[in-house]
Amino acid sequence: MEGSIFYWICWSFWVYLTFFLKKQNPYRLKLAAAILLVIILSPTHYKLGNIEIYASGVFILSLTFIMISKEKLRAIIYYFICSYIMGIAYVTFHLFEIFDPIWIIIKKEWMMGILLGYLAIILQKTLRGRLLIVINGTMQGEFLYAFILNKYHFPYSIGALAYLDVCTLISFLLVGWSFFENAGAIFQNHFNFTEKAKQKSS
């Protein structure tokens, strides 16, 4: 069912941010509000010519542009290069799916999530950067893919639940990868803290 991955992951993130993350975290409320808005906007759509566009996709694309615009010029250029690469990869996957679907050996969402997630890890070092290029690049890819299909009179909805499934799955995989990347440092800090506590108590 389209949208099931999106709703499960988004609601899980929202619950974590709202009830479990420390209130001192500066990103807590902003992220929770953004996720809630994406969920609320997900059914809303409008038509631009022959192309159907979902408001949630436009919303997250706008957010990424705002966040990228706050970076330094060199970083902005690199973000857009990475987003372009991500967008081309996204469109290429979809086109291969149409013309040669036999190579899709596992469920499409998972295959795309793993491939694009891996690409994001290669292109960016931080979780924030990876999420930005994934969302920005794939949404731009949505527009390009819709434009290509529209030339051949195939209907396609930009930013629909099928897209949100893929986008949230990639984000989930990247968050998981980031946790494992930082797990060593987290455990080391915890170990050092417990060692110091033992020394003080003795």
Side-chain angles (χ1 to χ4, degrees):
M1 180 183 171
E2 285 186 356
S4 57
I5 296 173
F6 162 68
Y7 286 119
W8 271 106
I9 292 175
C10 278
W11 278 120
S12 300
F13 274 138
W14 186 83
V15 168
Y16 170 73
L17 290 166
T18 306
F19 299 107
F20 297 102
L21 192 64
K22 291 179 181 179
K23 291 182 179 180
Q24 293 80 7
N25 192 301
Y27 301 108
R28 176 177 165 269
L29 286 175
K30 292 177 182 177
L31 284 172
I35 290 170
L36 197 59
L37 276 171
V38 172
I39 294 169
I40 292 167
L41 291 171
S42 60
T44 308
H45 58 89
Y46 53 91
K47 279 212 166 188
L48 187 66
N50 296 324
I51 300 173
E52 195 174 51
I53 303 173
Y54 277 74
S56 53
V58 176
F59 173 69
I60 58 174
L61 179 63
S62 302
L63 279 183
T64 59
F65 277 127
I66 292 167
M67 293 175 74
I68 290 171
S69 68
K70 294 178 181 178
E71 300 289 336
K72 293 179 181 178
L73 180 60
R74 187 176 292 182
I76 290 172
I77 293 168
Y78 184 64
Y79 269 121
F80 279 118
I81 291 169
C82 292
S83 297
Y84 176 76
I85 294 168
M86 191 66 63
I88 294 298
Y90 181 82
V91 174
T92 303
F93 185 98
H94 277 296
L95 292 176
F96 266 107
E97 182 193 3
I98 293 172
F99 295 111
D100 193 14
I102 196 167
W103 67 278
I104 300 178
I105 53 176
I106 58 174
K107 200 172 180 182
K108 180 186 77 173
E109 291 84 2
W110 282 96
M111 192 168 180
M112 195 182 298
I114 292 166
L115 290 173
L116 294 181
Y118 180 67
L119 183 59
I121 290 166
I122 293 171
L123 293 171
Q124 287 285 337
K125 292 181 180 179
T126 64
L127 176 61
R128 181 179 180 275
R130 290 164 184 171
L131 292 174
L132 280 176
I133 65 167
V134 162
I135 296 169
N136 191 279
T138 54
M139 263 309 296
Q140 290 187 61
E142 279 277 285
F143 279 96
L144 178 58
Y145 184 56
F147 175 75
I148 293 168
L149 291 186
N150 190 52
K151 286 184 72 175
Y152 298 98
H153 306 288
F154 290 118
Y156 186 76
S157 300
I158 297 171
L161 288 175
Y163 163 76
L164 293 174
D165 277 342
V166 173
C167 189
T168 49
L169 181 58
I170 299 169
S171 302
F172 177 75
L173 293 173
L174 288 174
V175 169
W177 180 263
S178 180
F179 173 78
F180 284 114
E181 275 185 328
N182 299 316
I186 293 167
F187 287 127
Q188 188 175 2
N189 290 337
H190 178 71
F191 179 76
N192 290 337
F193 177 78
T194 52
E195 282 294 314
K196 287 177 182 178
K198 285 179 182 178
Q199 287 173 5
K200 285 181 180 179
S201 62
S202 61

